[in-house]
Amino acid sequence: MRILVWHVHGSWATAFVAGDHEYVVPVVADRGPEGRGRAQTWDWPASAREATPEQIAELAADGGIDVVVLQRPEEVELLRRWTGLVPGRDVPAVYVEHNAPTGHAARSRHPLADLDVVEEGLVPVVHVTAFNQLMWDCGDARTLVVDHGIPDPGHLYTGSRASVGVVVNEPVRRWRVAGTDVLLEVGRHAPLDVYGMGVGKLAEHLVEPPSGQATGPALQHGLHDDVPQAAMHARLATSRVYLHPYRWTSLGLSLLEAMALGMPVLALPTTEAPVAVPPAAGVLSSRPDELVATARRWLADPDEARERGSAARAHVLEHYSHTTFLRRWDTVLQEVTS
C-alpha cells in the first residue's frame, strides 16, 4: 500500500520505512517541521520517496494515498490544508504516539482524545510502549500498542575504550528530563563519550574525572555532535558501558540499539526501562552513586561487562525484533484500511 508518513523521529521512521510498502514522505522548501523529507543521516530505501504538498494533493485527488500515519496533532490540520481530506473519514489513518505524557502522568489528556475523528475508533492511537498506553488518557479513542523493533546493527561491541557511552539529544536544553545532572555525576568519576545533537554544549558543564578514577590509562571526555547513525554505532560500541540517564522518556531507541550492539546498560528505573533492561543485561537504580560504582566496576572488569552486554543483545533480539515490528504494523494497517 501507499503510506503517507512524516519524518518525525529518525530511528523509528528508519525501522518503519523498511517494510514492503511505498512510503510518501512530505518535504517542504526549508525542510522544516512540516516536511523534513528523507533522513539525511540514516539509510532509507528507495521505496521511501519525498513529495511536496502539491504532489501530495495530486496523489490525494487521484485516490493515491491508502493510509496516513499521523504522529503530531498538527498533522491533522496539515492534511486537511494540503489535500482537503479528513483523516479517518476521507482516508484511513492511525496516530502514532511516540511519547510518554509530558504533564501529570495520570491526568494527561491525549490531544486526539477530543477530536471528532477519533470517535467510534476511526483513528486508533498506537502507542510504542504499554507504559505510555497506561498513562495517556485517550478518552474514547481505540488504543493499541506496537512495541519498538530495531534493525539489528550487529554485535559490534569491543569495549576497548574504558569509557561510558551515552546517546542523548540536546542534553543542556532538556536538562532534568534527559537526566543530564545524572550524566554529569557519572562523568565526575569516569570518562564519557557522548553522542547526539547539541552535545557540544555540555563542554562548559563537564569536569574531567581525576586520574585513575576510570582505571587504566587516563581518558578525557569525548563529545561527538550529530554523528551519522552507522558511524555512531561503530564508535559507541568501543565504549565499555552504556548509560541511559533519562528521568522521563518513552523508550529511547538509542537504548535498544546500544543493547543490540552488545553493550551492558546502566539506567534509571523509570517508564519502560524496567521492561526493556532485564537484570542480566544491566543495572537500573535511582541512586546515582550506585550507577557510578557499577560503571567503575565494569570499567575495571571487561569480562563482566561483556557478559552483561551479551545478555542485553539477546534480550533485544528476542523482544524488539524488527521483523515482528513490521509484521505487527502490517496487521494494524490492514485493519484500518479494510
Side-chain angles (χ1 to χ4, degrees):
M1 61 184 72
R2 183 177 289 146
I3 303 167
L4 176 63
V5 57
W6 278 261
H7 174 196
V8 177
H9 294 283
S11 291
W12 181 89
T14 298
F16 184 75
V17 301
D20 297 325
H21 305 286
E22 181 182 348
Y23 304 89
V24 179
V25 184
V27 63
V28 295
D30 63 354
R31 292 187 175 270
E34 289 192 356
R36 294 190 176 97
R38 286 170 53 91
Q40 304 298 299
T41 56
W42 284 273
D43 185 19
W44 283 15
S47 55
R49 63 181 182 86
E50 295 180 345
T52 65
E54 294 76 18
Q55 291 170 328
I56 292 169
E58 291 177 6
L59 275 177
D62 294 336
I65 297 174
D66 296 310
V67 62
V68 179
V69 175
L70 305 164
Q71 299 167 78
R72 298 167 296 177
E74 58 266 31
E75 291 173 6
V76 174
E77 180 55 33
L78 271 180
L79 183 68
R80 285 171 168 160
R81 175 153 51 91
W82 291 354
T83 68
L85 299 179
V86 176
R89 289 182 179 164
D90 304 322
V91 62
V94 299
Y95 185 98
V96 183
E97 179 49 71
H98 292 282
N99 301 315
T102 55
H104 190 290
R107 293 199 299 265
S108 291
R109 184 79 166 173
H110 195 276
L112 252 69
D114 299 311
L115 292 182
D116 54 5
V117 293
V118 303
E119 293 178 1
E120 301 176 7
L122 292 175
V123 180
V125 177
V126 181
H127 295 280
V128 297
T129 72
F131 179 90
N132 292 358
Q133 183 190 42
L134 177 69
M135 290 299 168
W136 276 112
D137 174 7
C138 289
D140 294 329
R142 179 188 175 208
T143 63
L144 308 167
V145 176
V146 177
D147 290 312
H148 285 305
I150 61 168
D152 182 7
H155 195 172
L156 304 182
Y157 179 73
T158 66
S160 59
R161 182 172 169 83
S163 69
V164 177
V166 187
V167 178
V168 55
N169 288 328
E170 300 187 79
V172 173
R173 182 182 67 82
R174 302 166 67 204
W175 194 271
R176 282 186 58 81
V177 169
T180 302
D181 55 319
V182 177
L183 168 65
L184 295 179
E185 176 60 21
V186 174
R188 290 180 59 244
H189 303 277
L192 302 172
D193 277 301
V194 188
Y195 301 83
M197 294 184 290
V199 300
K201 295 180 180 179
L202 279 175
E204 61 186 281
H205 302 280
L206 281 169
V207 177
E208 296 293 343
S211 178
Q213 285 277 48
T215 73
L219 293 173
Q220 292 185 325
H221 300 308
L223 301 178
H224 314 278
D225 211 320
D226 207 14
V227 180
Q229 188 185 46
M232 183 193 73
H233 285 162
R235 293 187 196 178
L236 180 64
T238 66
S239 288
R240 196 161 300 162
V241 183
Y242 186 79
L243 172 66
H244 185 68
Y246 287 84
R247 272 188 179 84
W248 190 256
T249 184
S250 183
L251 176 56
L253 286 172
S254 58
L255 169 63
L256 299 182
E257 290 166 358
M259 293 172 69
L261 292 171
M263 302 186 74
V265 171
L266 299 172
L268 304 182
T270 58
T271 60
E272 192 80 356
V275 175
V277 184
V283 170
L284 276 64
S285 176
S286 298
R287 298 172 59 93
D289 59 343
E290 185 175 355
L291 298 178
V292 167
T294 306
R296 294 184 65 190
R297 186 175 83 242
W298 289 347
L299 292 175
D301 188 347
D303 291 337
E304 182 187 354
R306 187 175 300 107
E307 181 180 351
R308 296 280 194 141
S310 294
R313 174 171 168 79
H315 182 76
V316 164
L317 294 183
E318 179 179 357
H319 295 279
Y320 299 95
S321 156
H322 190 211
T323 300
T324 301
F325 169 82
L326 291 175
R327 184 169 61 243
R328 180 72 177 107
W329 264 109
D330 280 348
T331 299
V332 171
L333 295 172
Q334 287 165 6
E335 286 178 358
V336 299
T337 57
S338 62

